[in-house]
Amino acid sequence: MLTVDFDRLRVGRGTRFIDVGAGAGRHSYEALRRGAHVTAFDMDEVELKGVEDMFGAMALEGEVPPGGSGEIKVGTILDMPYEDGSFDVVLASEILEHVPEDVQAISELERILAPGGILAVTVPRWMPEAVCWALSDEYHANEGGHIRIYKADELRGKVEATGLTFTHQHHAHALHAPYWWIKCAVGVERDQHPLVRGYHQLLVWDMMKAPRTTRWAEKALNPVLGKSVALYFQKPF
């Protein structure tokens, strides 16, 4: 389940790609399948170990094109251990909403991006996120949870202030917004509630089968209900 458009990121063989806040690695895996030099960067050492294991499994299964490589790095977005301009593509997906010092974090993302490189940032979209906050404090008021709701123009302005040029914006995961509204309404920890379980089964079926009908429906609904907003920027030469 990808939030960003990898064709728009122009990820291919030899691309120096960093997935900041990689989590379970879904975007890192796609970059590796395209032959990039991938760094999965996150604070969670345990989760990154799982990503490292998957990198190894992908190589054994022949899913990594010649020249592609994957590595993990534990660290904080506020002080990343890389030289200026180290990466051709920098991705920060669903992380800035967790970071109190978001301006400092954005500055680091810009710093490690090479001239001409692409930065993609995704965050929960304002309207679906505001519904979640209204329905449940438990959804966001916890350690490491969401501390702000971005409007796209606000986030765009913060990134453009670093000197990057905005190039594109889109929304994603419209089918996921109702799922989170249901969870917030019945209790975010009640995974076995019939409504939650049923909708989750629908999402799993959709991800596994990728039927044309739901692909079309999500594409049509994304401008209205998309759970995430993705913004793309380029660094001037």
Side-chain angles (χ1 to χ4, degrees):
M1 185 186 71
L2 302 176
T3 306
V4 295
D5 181 348
F6 270 78
D7 292 334
R8 187 172 294 278
L9 293 179
R10 302 199 298 269
V11 175
R13 294 191 180 188
T15 301
R16 297 173 299 168
F17 176 95
I18 185 169
D19 185 2
V20 181
R26 58 196 173 98
H27 291 109
S28 294
Y29 304 146
E30 178 63 21
L32 187 57
R33 290 188 185 98
R34 292 172 178 244
H37 298 301
V38 180
T39 300
F41 186 92
D42 203 284
M43 295 178 63
D44 191 329
E45 186 172 3
V46 174
E47 198 151 42
L48 281 182
K49 182 61 171 63
V51 175
E52 184 176 46
D53 291 344
M54 181 60 74
F55 283 163
M58 290 172 64
L60 289 173
E61 291 297 320
E63 296 184 31
V64 181
S69 64
E71 66 174 9
I72 62 169
K73 183 66 176 180
V74 178
T76 170
I77 190 175
L78 300 178
D79 185 20
M80 291 186 280
Y82 301 107
E83 298 292 330
D84 296 358
S86 292
F87 297 94
D88 304 309
V89 176
V90 176
L91 171 63
S93 183
E94 313 296 303
I95 181 173
L96 289 177
E97 68 274 13
H98 298 273
V99 182
E101 306 90 345
D102 64 335
V103 172
Q104 181 180 346
I106 291 168
S107 178
E108 276 289 274
L109 296 173
E110 182 276 332
R111 182 186 66 79
I112 66 172
L113 182 64
I118 298 173
L119 168 67
V121 178
T122 85
V123 295
R125 187 182 183 183
W126 186 86
M127 187 277 287
E129 185 76 349
V131 173
C132 288
W133 282 47
L135 289 172
S136 171
D137 289 337
E138 186 182 11
Y139 170 78
H140 67 92
N142 52 72
E143 185 176 357
H146 298 184
I147 63 170
R148 67 174 65 82
I149 305 176
Y150 284 106
K151 290 188 175 180
D153 288 348
E154 172 197 2
L155 179 56
R156 174 178 169 176
K158 288 185 175 183
V159 178
E160 287 181 319
T162 69
L164 299 186
T165 301
F166 173 77
T167 59
H168 187 69
Q169 173 182 320
H170 65 77
H171 301 104
H173 310 317
L175 297 181
H176 289 249
Y179 172 72
W180 283 102
W181 295 342
I182 293 169
K183 281 180 69 75
C184 288
V186 304
V188 294
E189 299 298 329
R190 298 184 62 190
D191 292 336
Q192 296 307 309
H193 187 282
L195 290 177
V196 174
R197 189 172 67 250
Y199 202 104
H200 183 263
Q201 290 172 348
L202 170 65
L203 293 177
V204 171
W205 170 79
D206 176 57
M207 287 186 286
M208 297 299 293
K209 301 296 184 181
R212 185 176 301 177
T213 51
T214 55
R215 295 298 74 156
W216 178 88
E218 183 159 77
K219 184 176 181 180
L221 291 171
N222 271 336
V224 179
L225 293 180
K227 182 71 168 64
S228 297
V229 57
L231 294 91
Y232 300 79
F233 304 85
Q234 187 164 21
K235 189 169 188 174
F237 287 97

